[in-house]
Amino acid sequence: MFSRSVAIIIAGMTFAAPALAQDAIIVQSTTSTANSGLYDHLLPIFAEETGIDVNVVAVGTGQAIKNARNCDGDVLLVHAKPAEEKFVEDGRGVSRSDLMYNDFIIVGPGDDPAGVRGMEDVQTALQQIAQTGALFASRGDDSGTHKKEIALWSDTGIDPTTASGGWYRETGSGMGATLNAAQGMAAYAMTDRATWLSFRNKGDFDILVQGDADMFNQYGVILVNPAVCPSVKAEAGQAFIDWLLSEAGQGAIAAYTLDGEQLFFPNAKG
Amino acid sequence: MTDPDSITQQSGMALRVRDLAFRTGALTLLDGIDLSLQPTGITVVMGPNGAGKSLLLRLVHGLAAPTKGEISWGGALLSPMLTRRQSLVFQKPVLLRRSVAANVDFILRARGRRDRRARDAALARVGLSAEAARPARRLSGGQQQRLALARALVTGPDVLLMDEPTASLDPASVLMIERIVTDTAAQGTKILFVTHDIGQARRLADDVVFLQSGRLAEYSPAARFFDTPRSEAAQAYLAGRLRV
Amino acid sequence: MSDISDALHMAGQLVLHRDADLIEIVALSLHVSLSAVAIACLVGLPLGALLAITRFPGRGAVLTLVNALMGLPPVVVGLIVYLHLSRAGPLGFLGLLYTPTAMIIAQTILITPIVAALSRQVLEDLHAEYADQFRSFALSRRQTMQALIWDARYSLLTVALAGFGRAVAEVGAVMIVGGNIDHLTRVMTTAIALETSRGDLALAMALGMVLMALALGVNAAVHGVRLTAARQAHA
């Protein structure tokens, strides 16, 4: 009885392994891009043109970069420019290219206890939230969004982490989970527009602060360095990057809309 | 059924017990037992409750280790090799959660044999051929004990040890088992049979070991034991007077 | 409350229309968790049987350890497996990260202690009944273990079920080592986590209901087998 089940298991495991086809590449990316549905739009077009399958692992930017440092991926597509540049400087990535941008917004409960609705200046808005002690839900997970949020806070001269657990709530989870948490406790939160538009649990939340140039959210794409990580499928990975940066890829990015709204704005330097 | 090389027949002596004692904590359950049994026939072990009958059976079968003394079969000290040539039937049969046939197959396979004819013969011998495919635990009490007996006999043991095997059975089943036991003894297998039942002892015994409070009170041929018991303990027991 | 009725409706729709994506992730969930249970039984049952029948110094400590390992947090198991299977890890050359095989490995580690600890209890109880008879039969340790496992097979089905329940319901380990990759490593629980993070709570709940129905189905099947066994007095 036992030997038969061993055989079945081994058979099962071996058929599972080749499911990662030889020319399939792994893209380490962020939950915000994956949750927006952008990849579901782009990847079939790319596969059609090149026959290359792309598998996306969606984690926080910090985790994505760590995974790529461990050679667990072929392409890195995230939005935390300084960390990306460091990744390349350290020889982990071949080179970094600007790919596209979207923007961050601050969402919050409709009754807007801190009175920030309609503000354009994100610094003033954040200061006002801090002063009124209105709840603010932060990712707190070292993601690109979190890093951006910290940078914005530091521009205001306020260190919200001194109020951590008080009005400043660090969820330590992804964008969607953080928005769910913000929803649950009627807290303000900073999110990228793409995630917000595709987010279904909006409740009475509105976009309250938007349009500040400081809230610009640049995405970059990097090929993991095959000289450091021999497992990297450099050719297929580079093909994916080249396509994203090409007119066809940039056009495909611009063509992706949700509820009639364009989410990502291609800005590769052609 | 008996193996020509069997130890009992080679040496002309079956069980020899010398100065046997078994203690657990402060309790002495058996003490100073000296005994030499005939190589064939049925030896009935009798005695009141707590006399140490079952324990003696467990000791000579190697299920318990004596505190003191020596046990030998056919001149060789008790060893796993020897106990493999014995079978023990417990008062309450321990049957596997399988079919009747599978219960017999189990012990054959444990001995490295796959022998359907031996299994079928053993089941026929205890009158269970028709029940071969039934779940063992669905049998009646008497059938269960007969199955245990079939399992004990199928390996062709030199010695068959029986620990009050009929204590909780109906009279018909008791007689059936007694008949199998006497047949088995007639074919040369040595039998040690523990019982409380004086009538059963009279029917089966060639000789009798009588234990009293962990000591050997008497060892006599059956006729003498039942007609003119020498020990006071045996006299009292046979007269139905003894209460420990 | 309307979310829950929405979810019920959506769950019904998904199942009725045999949604292709749903079938794919259900199949992968079953493939991964059943494989993990099978391997966990291959390792855990003999281990449980060995612990049930042997006495050795330090046995108590080993039992405590195995019992404690039943509470292994899935995320920790996921991390440990990730660190080993990562390209930078000692087993990175196998290229197993982000494959169903990695998920099977993680879940196997998660539930083997459950199978071992629970089967140890079941088999020790059975051994208490069989021990004298087996010693009289002069069985080897291996024969004893095999016989105990076979005779306790219906009780051990319940043990396997406990392992399956834990495996199919966990998200932490498969999320890390599988990566929740669409059409490759997405299973029920990671899909539920994904829909929750998208804020689509009704769809997440609908998937959760399908998962519960699945677990219910497997449990009912095992219960049926046990009933048959009980009728035959084998259980």
Side-chain angles (χ1 to χ4, degrees), chain C residues 26-39:
Chain C
V26 166
L28 186 63
S29 282
L30 288 176
H31 169 68
V32 168
S33 295
L34 288 175
S35 302
V37 169
I39 303 170

Side-chain angles (χ1 to χ4, degrees), chain B residues 58 61-64 83-84 86-88 90 94-99 106-107 109-111 135 137-138 151, chain C residues 126 129-139 143 146-148 150-153 230-235:
Chain B
R58 293 173 64 87
H61 190 42
L63 286 186
T83 55
R84 276 169 72 91
Q86 307 177 345
S87 292
L88 174 61
F90 295 88
V94 181
L95 299 179
L96 298 173
R97 287 157 172 76
R98 310 179 189 198
S99 72
F106 176 76
I107 181 64
R109 209 170 314 150
R111 294 284 186 273
R137 290 174 169 248
R138 273 289 150 105
R151 218 170 44 178
Chain C
L126 186 64
E129 181 189 336
Y130 283 178
D132 271 353
Q133 183 69 65
F134 281 4
R135 284 180 61 207
S136 172
F137 282 162
L139 298 188
Q143 288 169 327
Q146 281 174 346
L148 285 175
W150 180 250
D151 270 38
R153 59 198 178 278
R231 269 198 293 279
Q232 300 197 334
H234 283 331

Side-chain angles (χ1 to χ4, degrees), chain A residues 3-268:
Chain A
S3 56
R4 199 188 318 147
S5 35
V6 174
I8 292 169
I9 288 155
I10 291 171
M13 290 181 67
T14 41
F15 96 67
L20 257 189
Q22 208 45 42
D23 50 359
I25 57 170
I26 289 178
V27 175
Q28 288 285 354
S29 188
T30 65
T31 41
S32 49
T33 12
N35 284 0
S36 72
L38 176 67
Y39 289 118
D40 299 335
H41 168 74
L42 292 182
L43 300 184
I45 304 176
F46 176 65
E48 175 104 343
E49 285 184 21
T50 60
I52 298 173
D53 281 332
V54 177
N55 292 313
V56 177
V57 175
V59 287
T61 292
Q63 184 66 40
I65 293 176
K66 260 178 215 144
N67 288 349
R69 273 186 189 276
N70 287 339
C71 305
D72 297 322
D74 306 295
V75 172
L76 183 63
L77 199 169
V78 292
H79 57 94
K81 200 168 176 181
E84 293 163 45
E85 283 168 343
K86 174 133 195 335
F87 183 79
V88 175
E89 264 169 43
D90 292 349
R92 292 296 173 151
V94 175
S95 67
R96 179 191 174 282
S97 310
D98 278 340
L99 175 64
M100 60 187 182
Y101 70 89
N102 65 349
D103 64 339
F104 288 113
I105 52 178
I106 289 177
V107 299
D111 62 5
D112 187 21
V116 298
R117 185 188 294 272
M119 285 188 173
E120 255 186 47
D121 180 6
V122 67
Q123 276 199 34
T124 320
L126 288 178
Q127 277 162 349
Q128 207 158 310
I129 290 170
Q131 276 154 20
T132 54
L135 295 182
F136 186 95
S138 165
R139 292 278 293 272
D141 64 348
D142 203 27
S143 60
T145 304
H146 183 222
K147 284 174 176 162
K148 181 76 186 177
E149 181 214 314
I150 288 175
L152 290 174
W153 278 113
S154 90
D155 290 344
T156 65
I158 299 169
D159 180 4
T161 56
T162 56
S164 185
W167 61 267
Y168 189 70
R169 307 267 169 95
E170 293 173 279
T171 63
S173 21
M175 195 67 255
T178 302
L179 286 173
N180 279 329
Q183 177 70 244
M185 55 195 182
Y188 292 91
M190 191 185 89
T191 171
D192 58 286
R193 190 183 297 271
T195 300
W196 179 250
L197 285 177
S198 57
F199 190 68
R200 305 287 293 277
N201 184 24
K202 289 194 178 80
D204 72 334
F205 270 39
D206 291 322
I207 298 176
L208 299 176
V209 181
Q210 59 182 328
D212 193 320
D214 279 353
M215 307 253 268
F216 184 80
N217 183 29
Q218 178 65 47
Y219 284 84
V221 62
I222 301 171
L223 180 69
V224 179
N225 193 350
V228 178
C229 300
S231 59
V232 166
K233 299 180 182 103
E235 212 172 301
Q238 191 60 51
F240 182 56
I241 292 173
D242 289 347
W243 180 79
L244 284 174
L245 301 177
S246 74
E247 227 166 276
Q250 295 276 293
I253 291 171
Y256 180 58
T257 59
L258 196 74
D259 297 337
E261 216 168 322
Q262 180 177 346
L263 293 186
F264 295 93
F265 300 86
N267 66 344

